[in-house]
Amino acid sequence: MTMMNGKMDRMENLPAFQQGALDLLEQVLETADRPVEIVAFGCARIVAVDYNRYPELMLEKVRKVHLCAGTATSDYRMGSDAGAMPSLEGSGMSLWIQMLLLGCWSLNYRSLFIRVQE
């Protein structure tokens, strides 16, 4: 998928095949009869772009966003799209980030949960 051009990007000129996940998230939220929790693995781009497109809908219908991305040795804000995390950090949505911790000399993964805002 194309990268965001900054944290406010609504990505409205994407090819049709890249719109599917964005449209699906909007449809799920529109039809939800109560607030939902989103679990996103990897890049937070889809959640961030839908927030940029539909901020009122996201604030009304999203109870919490669980982001499973990054490692303790890299900047989770960058990930595979530098615009995604900054967009969500100021959104007002409840964000929970799970980063993988990998010991330098170990193959054992552990998880670290960080509550950014609630």
Side-chain angles (χ1 to χ4, degrees):
M1 188 168 173
T2 306
M3 300 274 273
M4 293 175 70
N5 291 321
K7 71 178 195 173
M8 303 301 291
D9 192 2
R10 296 166 52 99
M11 301 186 83
E12 294 174 322
N13 296 318
L14 291 175
F17 73 92
Q18 292 186 13
Q19 291 284 354
L22 297 165
D23 294 341
L24 178 60
L25 179 55
E26 181 210 2
Q27 291 170 8
V28 167
L29 295 177
E30 285 283 352
T31 59
D33 58 358
R34 63 180 183 270
V36 301
E37 294 191 17
I38 297 172
V39 179
F41 290 88
C43 183
R45 181 185 305 118
I46 293 166
V47 179
V49 171
D50 265 10
Y51 172 76
N52 289 341
R53 290 181 179 187
Y54 316 105
E56 296 86 13
L57 176 64
M58 294 287 283
L59 290 171
E60 175 188 348
K61 295 287 184 93
V62 176
R63 181 175 173 265
K64 189 180 294 184
V65 178
H66 302 268
L67 299 171
C68 305
T71 66
T73 59
S74 66
D75 184 356
Y76 77 90
R77 298 167 192 267
M78 299 303 287
S80 59
D81 195 321
M85 280 306 299
S87 175
L88 294 176
E89 286 175 328
S91 68
M93 288 188 292
S94 177
L95 302 177
W96 290 71
I97 300 172
Q98 178 185 8
M99 297 187 308
L100 293 175
L101 302 178
L102 175 60
C104 294
W105 305 106
S106 169
L107 295 178
N108 295 322
Y109 286 91
R110 298 176 305 280
S111 292
L112 169 67
F113 287 93
I114 301 171
R115 182 179 72 193
V116 177
Q117 58 196 33
E118 179 152 31

